[in-house]
Amino acid sequence: MTYVDAFVLAVPTAQRATYQKIAEDAAVVFKEYGALKVVECWGDDVPDGKLTSFPMAVKCEENETVVFSWIIWSSREARDEGNQKAMADPRMQPTEEMPFDGKRMIFGGFEVIVES
């Protein structure tokens, strides 16, 4: 079964183009190091919750949009190796300030248990 890295973060709405460019560039690097697929999704219908929600989880502010992303790998081992190489790649070193607050980003690795 495949392995998935998932991310949820809040990006200033006015920074959408900047974030998209960074995400496109990062996707190239991740794919070079073994990622099967990289998906970045800009929130379009992400309601506030009463107990929990995507906006609450990342402390999304009024001028921000929730982004949900995932990277599909062939295995946990491929992910660990690919991530290590990607993070060491000079192209992944920020050349400008990142257009989001990394402290509010939620991320994790997931073993796929159903794939249809």
Side-chain angles (χ1 to χ4, degrees):
M1 284 278 185
T2 53
Y3 194 81
V4 176
D5 272 334
F7 312 87
V8 181
L9 57 149
V11 176
T13 304
Q15 294 291 317
R16 179 178 175 159
T18 302
Y19 179 83
Q20 185 171 341
K21 173 70 170 121
I22 290 169
E24 289 169 350
D25 293 346
V28 169
V29 176
F30 282 119
K31 291 190 84 179
E32 281 182 24
Y33 293 119
L36 302 176
K37 188 172 191 173
V38 178
V39 179
E40 295 278 348
C41 303
W42 191 260
D44 180 54
D45 183 17
V46 186
D48 288 321
K50 293 187 191 273
L51 286 178
T52 63
S53 67
F54 282 117
M56 290 170 71
V58 295
K59 298 183 178 180
C60 194
E61 297 175 4
E62 191 173 315
N63 65 339
E64 295 178 322
T65 299
V66 173
V67 172
F68 177 53
S69 310
W70 64 93
I71 303 172
I72 301 175
W73 302 89
S74 61
S75 66
R76 165 81 188 260
E77 295 76 21
R79 177 271 216 151
D80 290 347
E81 185 178 326
N83 242 351
Q84 185 176 21
K85 289 178 180 177
M87 292 300 110
D89 191 299
R91 294 173 291 174
M92 293 293 282
Q93 306 312 309
T95 56
E96 56 191 65
E97 187 173 323
M98 295 302 282
F100 61 90
D101 180 359
K103 292 180 208 145
R104 292 187 286 143
M105 179 171 65
I106 298 170
F107 58 92
F110 297 84
E111 178 183 342
V112 175
I113 60 171
V114 175
E115 192 167 358
S116 172

